[in-house]
Amino acid sequence: MSIGSISYTLNNGLTIPKIGLGIYKTPPNVAAGIVYSALVTGYRHVDSAEYYENEEDACEGISKWIALDPANNKREDIFYTTKVWDDYHGYEATKKAIEGSLKKAEKIGYIDLILLHSPSSDYEKRHGSWMAFQEFVASGKVKSIGVSNYGIKHLEELLAYPDLKIPPAINQIEVHPWLMRSELCAYCKSKGIMVEAYSPLAKARKFGDPALVALAEKHGKGQGQILIAWSLAKGYIVLPKTVTESRLLPNLDVFEIKLTEEDLALLEKPNEYFTTGWDPTTYPLDSEK
Ligand SMILES: NC(=O)c1ccc[n+]([C@@H]2O[C@H](COP(=O)([O-])OP(=O)(O)OC[C@H]3O[C@@H](n4cnc5c(N)ncnc54)[C@H](OP(=O)(O)O)[C@@H]3O)[C@@H](O)[C@H]2O)c1
């Protein structure tokens, strides 16, 4: 068994590898190659999005890996995620967007997880998108559904839909020691929604932080490895991105790092609000506009 297949179980009973390769800002001509190399290295989980413009290339990398050794490299051992972008909120637009993502995933047959990339629209559109998501699960073409960048208020809204059949399995949000989101993560946990940590390396912008450097020295590991181990210690799925082949293995080889309570306390900055990109978790509900 590859270390990349070490998994959590979602609220629908399906499993998800704890570490996934993020491929945001991974150009199409690079994505197929780095996804293939990641799978050869042992990764079993890839995080793409319609917005990243590399879905087809990610699936190309996956299908190339399966073709390498079809007797042992199985589609069902891979977890492939993509996301529906903000322009396609609403029932009809989301259906079309998912069809488009499925077409780009033709070589691998189905999508393991679809996320609504952010809550940035309105009640009617978010609701319509969720109804479309549920239909694709029923069709079997999408295995699990979830959201991204949802705050507590957006999750409360979703969980209160009168026609909710499938609650989200995942909320993918930016989380790291300088953006703890303790309340949101605790809320997700209380509702059985798994947190996926995006930008788990804080886009490498906090490398050199004295506590991080000290922990890297203490454990004899790299700073990136300590941050990935932090996400795992919190019970999150973690999505480090790299286009650098030599970083693939270190970013996966983290399961033996055991951070102590003291280590966590040293590293965590619960009062810092360090976002490295956008933050739609604060997007207003209709009643707040
Ligand atoms: N849902 C959303 O709204 C959302 C938003 C952002 C990200 N995401 C997902 O989360 C994934 C990860 O987030 P991210 O791409 O923003 O940033 P990240 O994973 O926090 O950081 C990536 C940066 O760290 C560098 N890096 C990777 N491993 C390293 C190592 N071992 N040592 C030193 N530097 C290292 C990478 O450089 P190289 O690539 O040059 O090696 C890259 O510059 C994305 O790719 C995407 O799948 C989702």
Side-chain angles (χ1 to χ4, degrees), residues 209-266:
D209 171 275
L212 182 56
V213 171
L215 290 180
E217 279 171 12
K218 174 182 167 188
H219 291 271
K221 296 288 175 183
Q223 296 178 51
Q225 290 178 301
I226 296 295
L227 290 178
I228 298 165
W230 178 86
S231 279
L232 296 176
K234 304 302 273 189
Y236 308 148
I237 299 155
V238 54
L239 304 170
K241 172 258 177 187
T242 186
V243 292
T244 310
E245 301 249 348
S246 61
R247 289 176 174 160
L248 285 172
L249 183 58
N251 287 359
L252 187 64
D253 188 16
V254 292
F255 287 101
E256 81 286 6
I257 304 173
K258 299 291 173 228
L259 299 176
T260 64
E261 288 300 322
E262 292 74 35
D263 292 343
L264 298 182
L266 182 70

Side-chain angles (χ1 to χ4, degrees), residues 101-284:
S101 288
L102 279 164
K103 180 108 188 78
K104 293 184 202 138
E106 223 162 25
K107 286 189 171 158
I108 62 166
Y110 61 90
I111 292 168
D112 291 279
L113 174 67
I114 282 259
L115 304 175
L116 198 60
H117 210 137
S118 95
S120 310
S121 60
D122 57 28
Y123 178 94
E124 195 188 329
K125 286 186 168 169
R126 284 189 292 271
H127 173 260
S129 293
W130 198 255
M131 294 303 114
F133 272 31
Q134 294 186 153
E135 285 181 14
F136 277 89
V137 175
S139 78
K141 292 181 201 163
V142 172
K143 303 295 177 196
S144 299
I145 53 178
V147 292
S148 178
N149 295 298
Y150 266 45
I152 293 175
K153 59 190 177 181
H154 308 112
L155 291 168
E156 283 173 340
E157 176 191 275
L158 190 161
L159 294 172
Y161 291 156
D163 39 8
L164 181 76
K165 292 196 184 100
I166 308 176
I170 299 274
N171 188 18
Q172 184 182 119
I173 49 178
E174 180 171 358
V175 196
H176 45 65
W178 303 274
L179 184 67
M180 300 267 300
R181 301 194 191 276
S182 305
E183 206 189 336
L184 175 55
C185 292
Y187 179 84
C188 289
K189 193 174 177 200
S190 74
K191 299 294 175 189
I193 301 167
M194 188 74 76
V195 169
E196 268 192 341
Y198 80 63
S199 306
L201 307 173
K203 293 200 170 83
R205 291 184 198 159
K206 287 287 189 179
F207 283 28
D209 171 275
L212 182 56
V213 171
L215 290 180
E217 279 171 12
K218 174 182 167 188
H219 291 271
K221 296 288 175 183
Q223 296 178 51
Q225 290 178 301
I226 296 295
L227 290 178
I228 298 165
W230 178 86
S231 279
L232 296 176
K234 304 302 273 189
Y236 308 148
I237 299 155
V238 54
L239 304 170
K241 172 258 177 187
T242 186
V243 292
T244 310
E245 301 249 348
S246 61
R247 289 176 174 160
L248 285 172
L249 183 58
N251 287 359
L252 187 64
D253 188 16
V254 292
F255 287 101
E256 81 286 6
I257 304 173
K258 299 291 173 228
L259 299 176
T260 64
E261 288 300 322
E262 292 74 35
D263 292 343
L264 298 182
L266 182 70
L267 188 60
E268 294 177 356
K269 303 291 177 298
N271 298 321
E272 214 171 302
Y273 174 74
F274 182 79
T275 51
T276 64
W278 63 341
D279 184 11
T281 63
T282 59
Y283 188 84

Side-chain angles (χ1 to χ4, degrees), residues 55-76:
E55 293 168 285
E56 204 164 359
D57 311 277
C59 295
E60 172 68 33
I62 296 170
S63 70
K64 191 177 159 200
W65 174 79
I66 294 169
L68 179 70
D69 181 6
N72 292 303
N73 295 353
K74 302 288 188 197
R75 166 66 183 93
E76 57 268 29

